[in-house]
Amino acid sequence: MTELDDILTGGFHYGGVVILSGKRGDGKSTMGSQFIVEALAQEHNCMIYSGELPNDQVRNWLDRQVIGKKSLTKEDS
């Protein structure tokens, strides 16, 4: 996410904590999972937590971000 790194003046730093906050439907889960997907693609260890969603929904949301909507079948949704 080069463009985001530029906006954040150097990107995220190892060992740092990122907290996303906002109103319902503002894209927090989508943005957070994209951060995780990108970090995993770069082979970094990650941890994700949601105070709003149960663990299985967080995992499902993250899986959907990795797989991509076009790859989902009717049984997956």
Side-chain angles (χ1 to χ4, degrees), residues 8-74:
L8 295 172
T9 315
F12 299 120
H13 301 283
Y14 289 103
V17 175
V18 176
I19 298 172
L20 301 174
S21 67
K23 297 176 190 170
R24 183 181 300 247
D26 277 352
K28 300 176 299 292
S29 297
T30 300
M31 182 61 84
S33 60
Q34 286 299 311
F35 292 154
I36 297 293
V37 168
E38 182 65 25
L40 291 172
Q42 295 177 25
E43 299 184 1
H44 296 291
N45 293 325
C46 300
M47 193 280 292
I48 186 170
Y49 168 80
S50 172
E52 183 178 29
L53 299 173
N55 290 344
D56 60 330
Q57 286 184 341
V58 172
R59 176 60 189 260
N60 188 0
W61 186 258
L62 185 60
D63 287 346
R64 289 171 180 266
Q65 296 298 314
V66 171
I67 294 169
K69 188 175 181 178
K70 292 180 182 179
S71 298
L72 293 175
T73 64
K74 190 172 185 176

